[in-house]
Every structure is written in C-alpha cells, then in structure tokens.
C-alpha cells in the first residue's frame, strides 16, 4: 500500500484499531517523544496523528493500512 502525507491510515493497538492521519515519512534514524526509531529506505516509519486523541506516534509503514 502506498501511503502519502495526509492519508487516513489505521493501525492496531491493545484497545483495537485506531484511525489517524499520516503526517511525515521517516527513512533515517529519529527520536519521537524520547523513543528512538531505526527507520530506513527499506523499512520506513510514518509519524501518525490519532484522530481520537491528537497524539503523535511512529509506526512501521508495513503496520499501517
């Protein structure tokens, strides 16, 4: 699935499926809210913003639908 900035995406949480917006694609190492992520061209991460809480998190592109 090709994801673009601004797309609506879904991901799984312990409470069920959550919906939000794709904010930024990351392909290099980065830190978000004190947590370190090893993104790469082969395994990109997306910073997503939850529609429900407005909080931002990072998820592997492969975990988003």
């Amino acid at each position: 699935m090709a994801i673009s900035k601004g797309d609506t995406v879904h991901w799984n949480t312990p409470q069920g499926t959550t919906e939000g917006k794709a904010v930024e694609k990351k392909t290099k190492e980065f830190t978000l809210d004190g947590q370190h992520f090893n993104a790469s061209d082969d395994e990109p991460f997306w910073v997503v913003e939850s529609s429900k809480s407005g909080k931002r998190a990072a998820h592997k592109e492969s975990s988003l639908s």
Side-chain angles (χ1 to χ4, degrees):
M1 173 186 170
I3 299 171
S4 299
K5 185 177 179 179
D7 283 355
T8 297
V9 292
H10 300 88
W11 61 93
N12 292 323
T13 69
Q15 294 78 28
T17 302
T18 300
E19 179 180 281
K21 179 176 65 170
V23 177
E24 183 180 2
K25 184 177 184 175
K26 299 282 195 175
T27 56
K28 294 187 183 338
E29 291 183 30
F30 69 102
T31 302
L32 180 68
D33 292 337
Q35 189 172 5
H36 184 76
F37 297 92
N38 290 317
S40 66
D41 287 328
D42 292 333
E43 195 168 47
F45 278 71
W46 276 90
V47 176
V48 296
E49 185 174 286
S50 170
S51 297
K52 187 175 184 179
S53 68
K55 292 183 179 180
R56 290 188 175 192
H59 293 282
K60 286 183 183 179
E61 185 173 69
S62 60
S63 71
L64 301 172
S65 59

PDB file of all heavy atoms in Angstrom, residues 26-38:
ATOM      1  N   LYS A  26       9.501   8.848   7.536  1.00  0.00           N
ATOM      2  CA  LYS A  26      10.877   8.891   8.028  1.00  0.00           C
ATOM      3  C   LYS A  26      11.659   7.722   7.433  1.00  0.00           C
ATOM      4  O   LYS A  26      11.209   6.572   7.500  1.00  0.00           O
ATOM      5  CB  LYS A  26      10.915   8.781   9.554  1.00  0.00           C
ATOM      6  CG  LYS A  26      10.184   9.901  10.281  1.00  0.00           C
ATOM      7  CD  LYS A  26      11.025  11.140  10.308  1.00  0.00           C
ATOM      8  CE  LYS A  26      10.502  12.131  11.317  1.00  0.00           C
ATOM      9  NZ  LYS A  26      11.363  13.290  11.440  1.00  0.00           N
ATOM     10  N   THR A  27      12.830   8.015   6.870  1.00  0.00           N
ATOM     11  CA  THR A  27      13.674   6.967   6.297  1.00  0.00           C
ATOM     12  C   THR A  27      15.079   6.968   6.904  1.00  0.00           C
ATOM     13  O   THR A  27      15.951   6.270   6.423  1.00  0.00           O
ATOM     14  CB  THR A  27      13.785   7.125   4.764  1.00  0.00           C
ATOM     15  OG1 THR A  27      14.271   8.430   4.468  1.00  0.00           O
ATOM     16  CG2 THR A  27      12.435   6.893   4.091  1.00  0.00           C
ATOM     17  N   LYS A  28      15.271   7.752   7.952  1.00  0.00           N
ATOM     18  CA  LYS A  28      16.539   7.769   8.688  1.00  0.00           C
ATOM     19  C   LYS A  28      16.222   7.673  10.182  1.00  0.00           C
ATOM     20  O   LYS A  28      15.103   7.940  10.599  1.00  0.00           O
ATOM     21  CB  LYS A  28      17.296   9.069   8.411  1.00  0.00           C
ATOM     22  CG  LYS A  28      17.763   9.230   6.981  1.00  0.00           C
ATOM     23  CD  LYS A  28      18.638  10.447   6.853  1.00  0.00           C
ATOM     24  CE  LYS A  28      19.130  10.807   5.514  1.00  0.00           C
ATOM     25  NZ  LYS A  28      19.255  10.030   4.436  1.00  0.00           N
ATOM     26  N   GLU A  29      17.226   7.301  10.979  1.00  0.00           N
ATOM     27  CA  GLU A  29      17.030   7.201  12.430  1.00  0.00           C
ATOM     28  C   GLU A  29      16.454   8.513  12.968  1.00  0.00           C
ATOM     29  O   GLU A  29      16.842   9.590  12.525  1.00  0.00           O
ATOM     30  CB  GLU A  29      18.364   6.930  13.123  1.00  0.00           C
ATOM     31  CG  GLU A  29      18.920   5.559  12.854  1.00  0.00           C
ATOM     32  CD  GLU A  29      20.199   5.314  13.627  1.00  0.00           C
ATOM     33  OE1 GLU A  29      20.358   5.885  14.737  1.00  0.00           O
ATOM     34  OE2 GLU A  29      21.041   4.557  13.125  1.00  0.00           O
ATOM     35  N   PHE A  30      15.536   8.391  13.924  1.00  0.00           N
ATOM     36  CA  PHE A  30      14.938   9.581  14.532  1.00  0.00           C
ATOM     37  C   PHE A  30      14.433   9.257  15.927  1.00  0.00           C
ATOM     38  O   PHE A  30      14.331   8.092  16.310  1.00  0.00           O
ATOM     39  CB  PHE A  30      13.798  10.132  13.653  1.00  0.00           C
ATOM     40  CG  PHE A  30      12.578   9.245  13.588  1.00  0.00           C
ATOM     41  CD1 PHE A  30      11.444   9.542  14.344  1.00  0.00           C
ATOM     42  CD2 PHE A  30      12.541   8.132  12.770  1.00  0.00           C
ATOM     43  CE1 PHE A  30      10.321   8.734  14.289  1.00  0.00           C
ATOM     44  CE2 PHE A  30      11.415   7.318  12.700  1.00  0.00           C
ATOM     45  CZ  PHE A  30      10.303   7.628  13.464  1.00  0.00           C
ATOM     46  N   THR A  31      14.127  10.308  16.684  1.00  0.00           N
ATOM     47  CA  THR A  31      13.576  10.171  18.022  1.00  0.00           C
ATOM     48  C   THR A  31      12.263  10.936  18.071  1.00  0.00           C
ATOM     49  O   THR A  31      12.166  12.055  17.572  1.00  0.00           O
ATOM     50  CB  THR A  31      14.552  10.732  19.072  1.00  0.00           C
ATOM     51  OG1 THR A  31      15.790  10.021  18.956  1.00  0.00           O
ATOM     52  CG2 THR A  31      14.010  10.575  20.478  1.00  0.00           C
ATOM     53  N   LEU A  32      11.250  10.317  18.663  1.00  0.00           N
ATOM     54  CA  LEU A  32       9.938  10.942  18.827  1.00  0.00           C
ATOM     55  C   LEU A  32       9.494  10.696  20.265  1.00  0.00           C
ATOM     56  O   LEU A  32       9.412   9.544  20.698  1.00  0.00           O
ATOM     57  CB  LEU A  32       8.926  10.353  17.845  1.00  0.00           C
ATOM     58  CG  LEU A  32       7.516  10.915  17.909  1.00  0.00           C
ATOM     59  CD1 LEU A  32       7.489  12.367  17.428  1.00  0.00           C
ATOM     60  CD2 LEU A  32       6.560  10.083  17.058  1.00  0.00           C
ATOM     61  N   ASP A  33       9.237  11.767  20.979  1.00  0.00           N
ATOM     62  CA  ASP A  33       8.816  11.676  22.389  1.00  0.00           C
ATOM     63  C   ASP A  33       9.756  10.804  23.219  1.00  0.00           C
ATOM     64  O   ASP A  33       9.332   9.987  24.032  1.00  0.00           O
ATOM     65  CB  ASP A  33       7.381  11.154  22.498  1.00  0.00           C
ATOM     66  CG  ASP A  33       6.357  12.130  21.973  1.00  0.00           C
ATOM     67  OD1 ASP A  33       6.656  13.344  21.923  1.00  0.00           O
ATOM     68  OD2 ASP A  33       5.246  11.696  21.610  1.00  0.00           O
ATOM     69  N   GLY A  34      11.062  10.959  22.977  1.00  0.00           N
ATOM     70  CA  GLY A  34      12.059  10.235  23.750  1.00  0.00           C
ATOM     71  C   GLY A  34      12.290   8.798  23.330  1.00  0.00           C
ATOM     72  O   GLY A  34      13.115   8.107  23.914  1.00  0.00           O
ATOM     73  N   GLN A  35      11.584   8.323  22.321  1.00  0.00           N
ATOM     74  CA  GLN A  35      11.747   6.947  21.849  1.00  0.00           C
ATOM     75  C   GLN A  35      12.515   6.962  20.527  1.00  0.00           C
ATOM     76  O   GLN A  35      12.193   7.742  19.625  1.00  0.00           O
ATOM     77  CB  GLN A  35      10.382   6.280  21.669  1.00  0.00           C
ATOM     78  CG  GLN A  35      10.462   4.809  21.400  1.00  0.00           C
ATOM     79  CD  GLN A  35       9.091   4.148  21.412  1.00  0.00           C
ATOM     80  OE1 GLN A  35       8.070   4.804  21.539  1.00  0.00           O
ATOM     81  NE2 GLN A  35       9.080   2.853  21.268  1.00  0.00           N
ATOM     82  N   HIS A  36      13.527   6.092  20.413  1.00  0.00           N
ATOM     83  CA  HIS A  36      14.392   6.049  19.235  1.00  0.00           C
ATOM     84  C   HIS A  36      13.863   5.031  18.225  1.00  0.00           C
ATOM     85  O   HIS A  36      13.453   3.936  18.598  1.00  0.00           O
ATOM     86  CB  HIS A  36      15.815   5.676  19.664  1.00  0.00           C
ATOM     87  CG  HIS A  36      16.786   5.702  18.540  1.00  0.00           C
ATOM     88  ND1 HIS A  36      17.285   6.867  18.018  1.00  0.00           N
ATOM     89  CD2 HIS A  36      17.340   4.706  17.820  1.00  0.00           C
ATOM     90  CE1 HIS A  36      18.104   6.581  17.027  1.00  0.00           C
ATOM     91  NE2 HIS A  36      18.161   5.268  16.893  1.00  0.00           N
ATOM     92  N   PHE A  37      13.907   5.392  16.946  1.00  0.00           N
ATOM     93  CA  PHE A  37      13.437   4.515  15.873  1.00  0.00           C
ATOM     94  C   PHE A  37      14.526   4.392  14.816  1.00  0.00           C
ATOM     95  O   PHE A  37      15.195   5.365  14.495  1.00  0.00           O
ATOM     96  CB  PHE A  37      12.169   5.094  15.222  1.00  0.00           C
ATOM     97  CG  PHE A  37      11.010   5.186  16.168  1.00  0.00           C
ATOM     98  CD1 PHE A  37      10.795   6.346  16.898  1.00  0.00           C
ATOM     99  CD2 PHE A  37      10.137   4.128  16.349  1.00  0.00           C
ATOM    100  CE1 PHE A  37       9.733   6.441  17.781  1.00  0.00           C
ATOM    101  CE2 PHE A  37       9.081   4.215  17.226  1.00  0.00           C
ATOM    102  CZ  PHE A  37       8.870   5.368  17.943  1.00  0.00           C
ATOM    103  N   ASN A  38      14.702   3.184  14.274  1.00  0.00           N
ATOM    104  CA  ASN A  38      15.699   2.917  13.237  1.00  0.00           C
ATOM    105  C   ASN A  38      15.008   2.779  11.885  1.00  0.00           C
ATOM    106  O   ASN A  38      14.870   1.684  11.350  1.00  0.00           O
ATOM    107  CB  ASN A  38      16.483   1.639  13.555  1.00  0.00           C
ATOM    108  CG  ASN A  38      17.396   1.825  14.728  1.00  0.00           C
ATOM    109  OD1 ASN A  38      18.068   2.839  14.840  1.00  0.00           O
ATOM    110  ND2 ASN A  38      17.419   0.854  15.623  1.00  0.00           N
TER     111      ASN A  38
END
